[in-house]
Amino acid sequence: MGHGRSGRAARAGEREGWRVMGRWCTAWRHAGSGGAGPQSAAPASAPAPGRRSAPRRRAAPVSRTGPGSPTAGASRTASGRRLSVVTAVLATACATVTAVALPGGAAVAAGDAPGYAFADGAPRVEGTNAASDAAALTAGATYRSSLPRDGTLYYRLGLDAASDAYVSVTAVPGSAGEVTAVDGIRVSVQDAEGGSCSSDSATFGAAHSPRPVTAWGMREIAPGGNRCQEPGTYYVTVERARPQDSPPEDWDLELTVATEPRPARTGATEAPEAWDSASPEAVPGEPEPRTGGNGFAHATPLGPGAWRDGIRPGQTLYYKVPVDWGRQIHATAELDGAREASGYATGALRLALHNPVRGEVDDAAKGYTGRPATVGLAALPPVAYPNRYATSGQVGAVRFAGDYYVVVHLAAQVAEDFGEGPFGLTLRVGLRGTARSGPDYAGESRPEGIFAVSAQDRAAAPESGSPDDEDLAMKAVAVGGIGTGSLLLAGLTVWTAAARRRAR
């Protein structure tokens, strides 16, 4: 009996430890996590989502070397590198904590695929059946809502005449209901008179597997445009693609709104005609462990290289890759063979790429027979502002730099013939081309920095197989003998030491 009580106490202590680390990671993430460190490990002091804590002002220390001396420059470089390493360590460790302990990323038993992890702290907004009383959506914000089987929902936007606006809607159906290949969601943006600015739809496809589906809409200020160019009130509409064949329960929604200012100077108004369209070869090398996230807001950072994960039938994994202006992204997904290769699942392995505003760029799917299967994205042009003027939707979608999302889904039907898994998954991500400067925007985007790749983004997404310190930090996360709690404590110790050295 004593051993039973001690075992239960140990498990309870372990669960409490995960919860404490989860709260610390949430506070760290809300505080910005960009080398500034958390203001406090206690969640009560964490700033509200979307805000960064104001840095404390300190008197400048007396320098013996002078700000322009080689010693001072080397010190700043070393300090910045240490903080980049710590940021990468903490980002990966917190991703592990999220995958194990937090809602939406809880550890699951065999046969139970995790659900979609919504953005932390996203406010709920209710769609209406008429435009006249539609609730307002604010640029730069993320919202939660729900979509009934029948009817069209309206949301309101207030837009100026100097920015392009983008709205994404991710619908999350329940895992119990059956879905058809042509069911999904349809999203449109309309002007105040009901004229269409854009429309897009996303369906479940041939696999008939319930999964998060994302469609996007936009209002563009185009040269010579004669529709949806004026400032004022616009509306977002969301409906099911085929309600008559859709499951009866409501679907959860995640909505995002982003705005992109116009360039300060007029540039090319036609998409580039010449670019390297040859199919890139898959990235070679031994894959390194990397656990995917369960939603856009919790996507795991990846750099170029080969990465290893596990996926269960019905599960959708999210990764994000920072892509600079002028670079081409490519990705392939490889699914291991099953123990018994007997049966067939249509379109079982699905790979998709979404741009920084979550608009789908490309997708591909492959059936599964129990033998190893590989699916890859089509060749895409370098990221460039003029791509938006292309007639091809794939080219037009790679119109800005930022985080591109690689999304992998394994159809729920795979479990019927091949078991509950998890199945080994290898992602190979490649980037070609040379990074270039982007347009000189005339204002700020919302969310700020969404169309750029920051140093923090690069630090959190190292390349596999690299000898860099950041990559060594990522490898440390994968070592089974090092617990995540120890890793977090080690990261905090290094961060504190670095901060003290900077202060001195």
Side-chain angles (χ1 to χ4, degrees):
M1 295 297 290
H3 291 293
R5 284 193 297 271
S6 63
R8 286 192 295 272
R11 288 190 294 272
E14 182 180 9
R15 287 193 297 269
E16 179 61 22
W18 282 114
R19 283 193 291 268
V20 169
M21 285 188 287
R23 289 195 296 269
W24 188 94
C25 287
T26 299
W28 177 72
R29 189 165 53 244
H30 288 172
S33 66
Q39 299 300 314
S40 169
S45 64
R51 298 184 180 179
R52 294 179 184 267
S53 299
R56 298 178 179 176
R57 296 184 180 273
R58 297 182 179 177
V62 178
S63 174
R64 297 182 179 177
T65 58
S69 70
T71 303
S75 177
R76 286 193 298 270
T77 301
S79 176
R81 186 169 181 79
R82 284 192 295 269
L83 290 179
S84 296
V85 175
V86 174
T87 298
V89 171
L90 296 180
T92 306
C94 284
T96 304
V97 171
T98 299
V100 175
L102 299 183
V108 293
D112 184 15
Y116 185 83
F118 291 88
D120 297 335
R124 180 167 288 277
V125 60
E126 297 300 329
T128 61
N129 294 323
S132 57
D133 56 351
L137 304 179
T138 302
T142 300
Y143 299 90
R144 289 193 63 174
S145 191
S146 59
L147 178 67
R149 180 174 68 177
D150 298 309
T152 300
L153 296 185
Y154 287 82
Y155 306 87
R156 177 165 48 89
L157 296 173
L159 304 179
D160 58 28
S163 302
D164 292 342
Y166 304 94
V167 179
S168 77
V169 182
T170 299
V172 184
S175 59
E178 294 184 1
V179 298
T180 65
V182 295
D183 195 12
I185 59 169
R186 184 179 296 110
V187 174
S188 70
V189 176
Q190 303 174 356
D191 61 20
E193 285 72 42
S196 176
C197 306
S198 72
S199 64
D200 183 39
S201 60
T203 58
F204 298 111
H208 296 256
S209 180
R211 60 178 174 84
V213 290
T214 302
W216 64 317
M218 66 187 79
R219 192 291 304 262
E220 298 178 285
I221 303 297
N226 55 13
R227 186 172 56 183
C228 301
Q229 302 294 293
E230 301 297 323
T233 299
Y234 289 79
Y235 297 98
V236 179
T237 68
V238 184
E239 59 187 329
R240 298 201 191 185
R242 192 170 176 81
Q244 62 270 33
D245 296 327
S246 197
E249 70 271 9
D250 289 358
W251 291 349
D252 289 328
L253 298 180
E254 184 171 74
L255 301 92
T256 67
V257 184
T259 55
E260 179 192 24
R262 305 299 294 171
R265 292 177 295 275
T266 302
T269 57
E270 294 183 357
E273 295 183 359
W275 51 276
D276 185 2
S277 59
S279 298
E281 296 182 0
V283 176
E286 287 297 317
E288 299 182 16
R290 201 77 162 131
T291 301
N294 291 331
F296 283 106
H298 301 277
T300 300
L302 290 183
W307 308 97
R308 187 70 170 167
D309 204 347
I311 188 169
R312 296 188 186 279
Q315 188 174 12
T316 304
L317 298 176
Y318 292 77
Y319 312 84
K320 60 181 180 181
V321 182
V323 183
D324 272 305
W325 300 98
R327 305 211 71 184
Q328 293 173 272
I329 183 174
H330 181 257
T332 59
E334 305 166 4
L335 188 66
D336 288 357
R339 293 179 180 178
E340 295 183 6
S342 177
Y344 182 74
T346 303
L349 179 62
R350 183 181 186 272
L351 175 67
L353 180 70
H354 294 251
N355 63 24
V357 297
R358 305 186 182 183
E360 186 172 290
V361 178
D362 185 35
D363 75 301
K366 187 72 172 290
Y368 188 60
T369 62
R371 296 180 176 85
T374 300
V375 63
L377 299 173
L380 297 168
V383 173
Y385 186 90
N387 284 342
R388 66 194 62 214
Y389 304 121
T391 56
S392 166
Q394 288 181 343
V395 176
V398 288
R399 60 179 59 196
F400 23 54
D403 286 331
Y404 279 72
Y405 298 90
V406 177
V407 182
V408 183
H409 176 75
L410 184 61
Q413 291 84 337
V414 169
E416 297 176 4
D417 290 327
F418 307 105
E420 305 289 351
F423 296 83
L425 174 69
T426 300
L427 279 179
R428 300 186 184 274
V429 178
L431 287 175
R432 295 190 295 178
T434 303
R436 302 175 181 174
S437 59
D440 182 16
Y441 285 121
E444 290 291 340
S445 61
R446 294 290 182 271
E448 186 176 351
I450 187 175
F451 304 122
V453 176
S454 67
Q456 179 181 339
D457 295 331
R458 293 188 181 93
E463 300 182 14
S464 69
S466 166
D468 291 348
D469 290 350
E470 291 88 349
D471 183 59
L472 295 176
M474 294 303 171
K475 288 182 178 179
V477 178
V479 178
I482 301 179
T484 304
S486 300
L487 182 62
L488 283 171
L489 292 175
L492 284 171
T493 302
V494 176
W495 173 80
T496 303
R500 289 174 176 171
R501 280 192 290 271
R502 289 203 314 279
R504 287 198 296 270

